[in-house]
Amino acid sequence: MFKYEKVVSALFAVPLFVFSFNAIAQNTNATKGYSFDNLPVVATTSFKNDTISILKYGAKNDGLTLNTKSINQAISDCNKRGGGVVLIPEGLWITGPIELKSNVNLHLKKNALLQFTKDFNQYPLVEGSWEGIPQMRNQSPISATNQENIAITGFGIIDGAGDAWRMVKKDKLTESQWKDLLASGGVLSENKKIWYPSEKSLKGSKMKDPGLIAKGKSTAFYAEIKDFLRPNLMVLTSCKRVLLEGVTFQNSPAWNLHPLMTEDLTIRNVYAKNPWYAQNGDGLDLESCKNVLVEGSTFDVGDDGICIKSGRDAAGRKRGMPTENVVIRNSTVYHAHGGFVIGSEMSGGARNIFISDCTFIGTDIGLRFKTTRGRGGVVENIYARNINMKDIAGEAILFDMYYAAVDPIPLAGETRENPKLKLLPVTEETPVFRKFYINNVVCDGAEKAIFVRGLPEMSISDIYIDHLIVKAKAGIDIQEAKNINISNAHLEIKRALPLIYIQNGKTIGLKNISYTDADLLIKVNGDKNADIILSETNTANAKLQTEFGHGAGSNVLQIKKK
């Protein structure tokens, strides 16, 4: 009934960048033999040719009729007949929540706009998941639970009416946009800087974990804050063999595409689109999923673009389902907080993730790996190659174990303090980041090339970055890390001060680092540094080669001449 597709990456050949991922995979037992030449296998969908049009169920494309019953009945009947295609013809179709069922392919023709209603009463409160924790939410516009062999395909547009649900920060709009938003209704926060669509939405915003399912919370309680419990546009829970292809998913109330505990998922040639100011407007969040292929897709959203998750804190650790065996290739991310992201809700872990041949344009951060104390979980065996970036507002490559649930780039007038360093015991709540392999990254414009920040009690470890070209304002910043290897890197930075900063780094290898000029080449701080080697690097372009402080001695650094 179904067939298997082997995920085979496109060949990439540029004489300057020659690097063997096979050698890495062979030396890393935890990869189970996976490499870019031997990628995970994804089972694919297969459907009967039978086609049912929603027109046969009384659906009307007049932009007025609510077609919820007609569409769901067509899907249900198709499922009962053994499956096939449910056709959404061209036109504007208003609907409430749609539930997908096994063996059904929901197909949108060209010029078909499936518009979800702004009437919140059409979305009942249901038990769901939000940011990795079981919570009460409004039912998602599109959902499926425990279904198998399902698809959404075609050429049309699915609009989640997110503008009716979302709060909006004043600082993210122009003055005229803000005035228009106020004129549309809604209410303001006490400081007048955040717009909410209703009093219920504002009330929910003032509570801690308002949607959390807990004893003592009645139906009436959730009803009073219903508007705040925004749904994700599409949630697929515990499904198998899923295909999303060709369709535009836009204007989501919260996250756009959210596969949860789903296996054998293919996402091909989709467009996930949200306004850049869309709060929590992620493009794709793969949470505790296994065997996934994402290719040929475009993301232009208000939060993270392509994101790997696996549950948050104790709830994620109890679930214990990592996101694993994922291939992401030939895709583009425009505006987003991060182009490709892991975390911060990664308490179930993530492993065997392969991203290649992707372009990030105008994202806040390029490759973004984030976590924080309390998460726990192990992220390992992450591979990235052939990544192009342009106009990155923050870091081209970032590893941060101090994620603070704020936008990566401060808004105008916003001030932030660096986290206070303190050593804590290692427990199940301590996250682990290790075994990252990054090759052939070119970035034209960033605030900083590389930022690595681990915890005093748990260093980020085993990062291998080879062949990197970055034009940025700042260079390499490594803190609380061990076994970090950066080779064949060119940093186009004017008067770097310093070009390379290391704080409490152990076994740091920097090889063939070229640069334009630097006021200071390398600065080392902290009393826990050891075995730092800078080799095959021309030190003559730096006015000052080294500086040591805060307990660091010159004996921790070796400079090997070319």
Side-chain angles (χ1 to χ4, degrees), residues 164 166 180-189 194-202:
R166 289 188 300 262
D180 289 343
L181 185 62
L182 296 183
S184 71
V187 294
L188 290 177
S189 60
I194 303 178
W195 175 89
Y196 292 87
S198 69
E199 291 286 354
K200 288 184 178 182
S201 180
L202 175 60

Side-chain angles (χ1 to χ4, degrees), residues 315-479:
R317 295 193 298 273
K318 182 179 179 180
R319 183 199 294 165
M321 294 179 63
T323 291
E324 60 184 330
N325 309 341
V326 177
V327 177
I328 298 164
R329 65 190 184 198
N330 301 321
S331 294
T332 302
V333 182
Y334 289 98
H335 188 279
H337 285 178
F340 173 72
V341 183
I342 296 180
S344 71
E345 304 95 281
M346 37 56 68
S347 302
R351 62 194 180 206
N352 303 335
I353 314 293
F354 300 82
I355 176 169
S356 65
D357 306 289
C358 291
T359 299
F360 308 145
I361 300 175
T363 61
D364 289 349
I365 297 172
L367 295 170
R368 185 187 190 196
F369 309 109
K370 55 181 179 175
T371 187
T372 190
R373 287 176 171 128
R375 295 286 190 263
V378 178
V379 173
E380 62 183 352
N381 303 330
I382 312 301
Y383 299 82
R385 73 174 186 183
N386 307 341
I387 308 297
N388 302 315
M389 307 183 195
K390 184 177 183 295
D391 300 331
I392 305 302
E395 294 84 357
I397 302 173
L398 175 140
F399 301 82
D400 193 7
M401 301 182 83
Y402 282 95
Y403 176 66
V406 294
D407 291 355
I409 304 301
L411 296 173
E414 184 181 358
T415 59
R416 295 180 185 173
E417 296 181 359
N418 289 327
K420 294 181 180 180
L421 296 181
K422 56 181 179 179
L423 180 66
L424 297 180
V426 174
T427 69
E428 65 175 6
E429 295 184 351
T430 307
V432 177
F433 272 9
R434 66 192 182 198
K435 298 177 184 175
F436 291 78
Y437 308 93
I438 300 172
N439 173 239
N440 189 20
V441 174
V442 177
C443 177
D444 181 10
E447 184 68 26
K448 183 177 289 187
I450 300 172
F451 182 48
V452 179
R453 182 166 61 182
L455 299 170
E457 67 271 19
M458 181 60 68
S459 296
I460 291 176
S461 66
D462 306 310
I463 297 176
Y464 300 85
I465 300 176
D466 189 62
H467 287 104
L468 172 75
I469 300 175
V470 180
K471 183 178 181 180
K473 296 178 182 179
I476 298 170
D477 186 341
I478 300 172
Q479 303 176 28

